[in-house]
Amino acid sequence: MSDKLLSYISLNDEQRKKINETAPAYEIIESLSEVEDISEVKAIYGWDKDVTSQLLDDPENQLEWVQLISAGVDFVDLNKLEEHGITLTNASGIHGHAITESIFGMILNHTRQIGHALLKQRQRKWDPVSEASELNQKTMLIVGTGAIGMQTGKVAQAFGMKTIGVNRSGRPVEFMDELVTQDQLDDVLPLADFVINILPLTDKTNGLFNLGKFRAMKSSAIFVNVGRGQTVVTEDLLKALDENWLKYAALDVVHEEPLPKNHPIYKREDVLLTPHISGNLEDYNASAFPIFLENLHAFVNGQDIPKNVVDYEAGY
């Protein structure tokens, strides 16, 4: 009888070797059917809603820790995990470069009229435009100043932009020229040329970007959402665009995914829609594994888990 690590993530030989070196007393399993005594499962790498619910509902369950490979946790029953005293960790931080690159790709597609040029190329038309604008000396409001927000701020400053960060506490964060609390968001929205939403989905952020928020923005503002779709009231965003309360929106996430084929967003020229791909990585599992391995080392040695422990009260 030995303690078990249940992995829903496909592990290569090198990763299995590192796990065995880090946690030699643990046996790696890939299914609950591999155990006779469910109390042997102490940790999970990855997530399977149905199987994990089955495990948690078993009175013999002695699960202590779950490591997700996603940054978001809105698909997890946080209350249930908290009730069982289980530590939950995520993969926050691994998407910083990829999502930042997507943010600026979406912005430059519009400001440098690259999207327009591509459209005209397919129509075999040479159609120079004079509406291109620069990022230099513009103000970027970054709502959510975690790893992605900081990387976005770093790149924005390299473009010569002023950065204003928004977080819960207003605590200082690297690469932000100014910091305000989320309660002060309405005060700084009118200052921004670009509003970047990187917020997770919680009770407090659900529907946060509504008609009032969009009306507070500059009519020339560009809104980018790479956080969670439900943090934005889509109907309000489209109304704001129709009323010219803001100029353009780039959305990598929306309230319903996939978006129905008959949704009006598909036909709009003032919205760029990408299918939730900003966080895609060349090798996702390889990027998430070092976080898991560092946490595993602490876990098997009875230490506090150091990386990305989810705050159940905050919801992320």
Side-chain angles (χ1 to χ4, degrees):
M1 179 176 176
S2 62
D3 290 335
K4 304 293 193 294
L5 165 64
L6 173 57
S7 179
Y8 297 122
I9 308 304
S10 179
L11 301 167
N12 60 36
D13 291 342
E14 181 64 23
Q15 290 170 336
R16 286 179 175 273
K17 179 182 177 182
K18 289 181 178 180
I19 290 173
N20 290 331
E21 290 172 349
T22 302
Y26 279 73
E27 179 185 351
I28 303 169
I29 62 172
E30 297 177 350
S31 170
L32 282 182
S33 63
E34 297 179 45
V35 295
E36 295 182 3
D37 184 353
I38 207 167
S39 67
E40 296 177 8
V41 180
K42 307 297 185 185
I44 293 177
Y45 182 36
W47 184 257
D48 182 298
K49 180 181 178 181
D50 295 334
V51 178
T52 306
S53 294
Q54 174 190 340
L55 178 62
L56 294 178
D57 290 339
D58 193 304
E60 300 299 319
N61 154 54
Q62 292 188 24
L63 182 66
E64 298 178 28
W65 168 47
V66 175
Q67 171 71 60
L68 303 177
I69 65 165
S70 64
V73 298
D74 46 282
F75 58 92
V76 176
D77 189 338
L78 299 182
N79 291 331
K80 198 168 190 177
L81 290 178
E82 184 178 22
E83 288 171 4
H84 284 80
I86 296 167
T87 299
L88 177 66
T89 53
N90 64 15
S92 179
I94 69 172
H95 306 92
H97 290 279
I99 294 182
T100 295
E101 290 171 15
S102 291
I103 289 169
F104 282 93
M106 290 188 285
I107 289 173
L108 294 169
N109 179 75
H110 177 71
T111 60
R112 304 310 304 163
Q113 293 295 307
I114 297 168
H116 173 84
L118 180 59
L119 177 64
K120 295 303 178 181
Q121 175 188 332
R122 289 172 176 168
Q123 297 172 355
R124 299 178 181 272
K125 292 182 180 180
W126 183 274
D127 185 20
V129 294
S130 58
E131 298 177 2
S133 58
E134 301 87 45
L135 302 188
N136 184 44
Q137 301 301 310
K138 299 296 196 308
T139 296
M140 178 174 282
L141 180 64
I142 301 171
V143 189
T145 59
I148 299 167
M150 284 191 289
Q151 181 64 20
T152 300
K154 179 180 181 181
V155 174
Q157 289 182 344
F159 272 104
M161 304 180 79
K162 176 181 179 179
T163 55
I164 304 175
V166 181
N167 58 32
R168 283 190 301 162
S169 64
R171 62 180 174 80
V173 174
E174 199 173 8
F175 306 117
M176 301 297 159
D177 295 310
E178 296 180 19
L179 253 300
V180 299
T181 65
Q182 193 167 306
D183 292 338
Q184 298 170 298
L185 178 58
D186 288 352
D187 297 333
V188 291
L189 281 172
L191 308 178
D193 299 295
F194 301 88
V195 179
I196 315 300
N197 175 31
I198 318 177
L199 290 174
L201 180 62
T202 68
D203 291 341
K204 292 184 178 180
T205 65
N206 193 1
L208 176 67
F209 283 95
N210 55 22
L211 208 56
K213 295 290 188 291
F214 294 123
R215 292 199 71 162
M217 296 180 190
K218 289 182 177 182
S219 61
S220 59
I222 293 176
F223 176 73
V224 180
N225 188 14
V226 292
R228 281 293 181 263
Q230 296 92 330
T231 61
V232 175
V233 182
T234 303
E235 291 181 0
D236 290 357
L237 171 61
L238 298 185
K239 180 177 176 58
L241 289 165
D242 288 338
E243 299 292 338
N244 297 315
W245 295 334
L246 72 158
K247 185 175 183 179
Y248 189 78
L251 310 174
D252 184 58
V253 290
V254 285
H255 66 285
E256 181 181 359
E257 298 179 7
L259 200 63
K261 292 181 179 180
N262 61 351
H263 199 281
I265 279 180
Y266 286 114
K267 294 184 177 181
R268 298 192 70 106
E269 295 184 1
D270 53 4
V271 178
L272 171 62
L273 176 67
T274 57
H276 205 149
I277 58 173
S278 68
N280 287 5
L281 304 171
E282 292 180 30
D283 191 334
Y284 199 104
N285 289 349
S287 298
F289 186 76
I291 295 174
F292 165 66
L293 196 65
E294 181 178 348
N295 285 341
L296 178 64
H297 180 271
F299 176 72
V300 299
N301 287 286
Q303 302 167 356
D304 291 338
I305 294 180
K307 298 282 289 188
N308 298 349
V309 177
V310 172
D311 182 333
Y312 287 122
E313 183 177 353
Y316 60 91

